[in-house]
Amino acid sequence: MSKLIEQNYQNAKEAYAKWGVDVDKAMEKLDNISISIHCWQGDDVIGFENDAGSLTGGIQTTGNYPGKARNGEELRADLEKVLSLLPGDAYKVNVHSLYAETDGVKVDRDALEPKHFAKWVDWAKKNKLGLDFNPSFFSHPLSENGTLSSIDEGIRKFWIEHGKRSREIGEYFGKELGQACINNIWIPDGSKDIVVDKLAPRLRLKDSLDQILAAPISKKYNKDAVESKVFGIGSESYVVGSHEFYMGYAIKNNTLLCLDAGHFHPTEVISTKISAIFNFVDELLLHVSRPVRWDSDHVVILDDELNAIAQELVRNDFIPKTNIALDFFDASINRIAAWTIGTRNTRKALLAALLEPTAALKKVEAEGDFTSRLALLEEFKTYPMGAVWDYYCLKHDVPVKEAWLDEVKAYEKDVLSKR
Ligand code: RNT
Ligand code: ZN
């Protein structure tokens, strides 16, 4: 098996070398691209709060596949299983404030402290992972009628405090782990039906963000991002934190902008936005997801848009200023498999982009030879990227091709089915 993989790899190497692509260098570059794995695929975005109810905020998981994680130990064990199936070491884990561990004591969101995430930090250290963070502005009794844009000053204050504390937790992650934590703000605020005063909630949101971001926290440890959305379930007619709102906010206040692949109109894709936005913002956060007709957060597959995102990042050398994070949640299939499929695909797309003879393509384009451009782009689609991927997995001592599936099935039998 491994001999065949080596042979195929050597052949692939030759094919790419003809176009001036150094396959070994591509793999080296791939080793250094970090992917942030969202913890919430493991338990359908429920978290560990004592009174954890159902998921609200207009996002939804569908399906009832058995074996979801019920606590931090199980969730981290599941993540370790996933990590063992992924090539390379450059991974972060993305935690939501819902995943605080408070030893059975009720700690509301406006009272969370770094210590409630100490188990995540210890674990991240042990597994050589970075951590990212998200304040959770949903699945809470006070999130049903607006959070940071709420007309109720008491409610708005509660959520502002949550936002402030989240930055402190992010800073703690960054300091402990020696790499910046990306702290991403997404709120569900909006309206099911037509809104008359669309301005006032936005003014309140802007003021809330200003208050949250007022505390001076070094970007060395915590970087703030804001995430827009076009609509959610229950906010079909109006979303306070729209794309224009947050793009403007990020540019003016020098925060990161988060682009979620599922947060735009169905025919709009984020890959086309990246080269425009980078003229005006310094750093991006991507929520790599897969919308199917709506913001359905399907498992990421190796489709045209995933490839296009990776191409944009690689072709323009945007990798150093782009934080690649995953955001999907499928409860209808084995969750370890969901994570593995989505994360392997994201890395695979990056590899494919790194193997592209970009310089040659840019050259024919600049010469106006659009015939060659189209011909080459199409031919490169069937170049032996898979052979390089297999070798990359082999080299990193993780399952090659679909062999990871047997491991997931065994884990399901030994661990998940006993929950
Ligand atoms: C919701 C946003 C947000 C969430 C996670 C759980 O539409 O995409 O990023 O999915 O924070
Ligand atoms: Zn998202």
Side-chain angles (χ1 to χ4, degrees), residues 190-210:
S191 173
K192 178 185 173 73
D193 220 326
I194 302 162
V195 168
V196 175
D197 188 351
K198 299 191 191 70
L199 176 62
R202 290 188 167 136
L203 291 171
R204 288 192 293 268
L205 174 55
K206 181 170 173 288
D207 176 72
S208 299
L209 293 169
D210 289 347

Side-chain angles (χ1 to χ4, degrees), residues 43-108:
D43 75 335
D44 313 339
V45 210
I46 294 301
F48 311 142
E49 290 174 333
N50 304 1
D51 45 3
S54 51
L55 175 60
T56 74
I59 52 179
Q60 236 173 51
T61 53
T62 48
N64 201 13
Y65 201 86
K68 73 173 166 214
R70 295 162 299 183
N71 53 51
E73 275 63 47
E74 289 181 356
L75 189 55
R76 285 186 286 269
D78 290 357
L79 278 162
E80 279 179 37
K81 185 73 219 174
V82 174
L83 286 161
S84 77
L85 305 173
L86 306 175
D89 304 318
Y91 294 99
K92 294 175 100 178
V93 166
N94 203 358
V95 178
H96 243 285
S97 80
L98 294 170
Y99 296 83
E101 286 163 285
T102 60
D103 288 328
V105 182
K106 168 138 182 89
V107 180
D108 213 343

Side-chain angles (χ1 to χ4, degrees), residues 40 184 186 227-228 258-261 263 287 289 295 297 327:
W40 52 91
N184 179 53
W186 169 74
E227 179 182 8
S228 72
C258 173
L259 297 178
D260 183 308
H263 287 197
H287 271 189
S289 190
D295 182 30
D297 294 287
D327 186 12

Side-chain angles (χ1 to χ4, degrees), residues 15 26 48 72 144 164 171 178 224 228 284 395 413:
F48 311 142
E144 293 311 289
K164 286 182 179 169
E171 181 184 44
D224 303 291
S228 72
L284 277 181
K395 209 179 78 162
K413 191 163 157 271

Side-chain angles (χ1 to χ4, degrees), residues 160-336:
I160 290 170
E161 187 59 31
H162 179 52
K164 286 182 179 169
R165 283 168 182 262
S166 296
R167 294 182 74 221
E168 285 163 19
I169 294 160
E171 181 184 44
Y172 157 70
F173 283 0
K175 280 188 177 159
E176 290 289 324
L177 301 171
Q179 56 175 307
C181 163
I182 310 297
N183 198 328
N184 179 53
I185 294 181
W186 169 74
I187 62 166
D189 301 24
S191 173
K192 178 185 173 73
D193 220 326
I194 302 162
V195 168
V196 175
D197 188 351
K198 299 191 191 70
L199 176 62
R202 290 188 167 136
L203 291 171
R204 288 192 293 268
L205 174 55
K206 181 170 173 288
D207 176 72
S208 299
L209 293 169
D210 289 347
Q211 289 190 50
I212 290 171
L213 300 178
I217 285 183
S218 165
K219 282 199 176 179
K220 199 172 154 204
Y221 302 120
N222 180 83
K223 294 181 185 174
D224 303 291
V226 287
E227 179 182 8
S228 72
K229 189 159 178 169
V230 66
F231 85 95
I233 302 298
S235 62
E236 291 86 354
S237 301
Y238 172 67
V239 169
V240 186
S242 60
H243 178 52
E244 292 74 11
F245 179 90
Y246 280 129
M247 191 160 90
Y249 193 88
I251 292 169
K252 191 161 180 205
N253 298 284
N254 205 18
T255 69
L256 276 64
L257 185 69
C258 173
L259 297 178
D260 183 308
H263 287 197
F264 295 86
H265 291 286
T267 57
E268 233 181 321
V269 282
I270 63 167
S271 56
T272 60
K273 300 175 186 297
I274 295 170
S275 62
I277 291 172
F278 265 135
N279 288 276
F280 308 103
V281 305
D282 295 336
E283 196 167 335
L284 277 181
L285 169 64
L286 299 184
H287 271 189
V288 180
S289 190
R290 177 166 58 108
V292 178
R293 303 189 188 282
W294 71 291
D295 182 30
S296 57
D297 294 287
H298 277 62
V299 176
V300 165
I301 58 171
L302 190 61
D303 57 8
D304 285 351
E305 173 58 359
L306 184 65
N307 281 315
I309 291 170
Q311 285 160 357
E312 281 303 301
L313 300 183
V314 171
R315 287 176 184 167
N316 302 305
D317 201 16
F318 288 151
I319 296 279
K321 46 184 188 170
T322 305
N323 302 277
I324 303 168
L326 306 172
D327 186 12
F328 52 81
F329 23 97
D330 192 335
S332 74
I333 59 172
N334 179 304
R335 294 171 185 80
I336 315 291

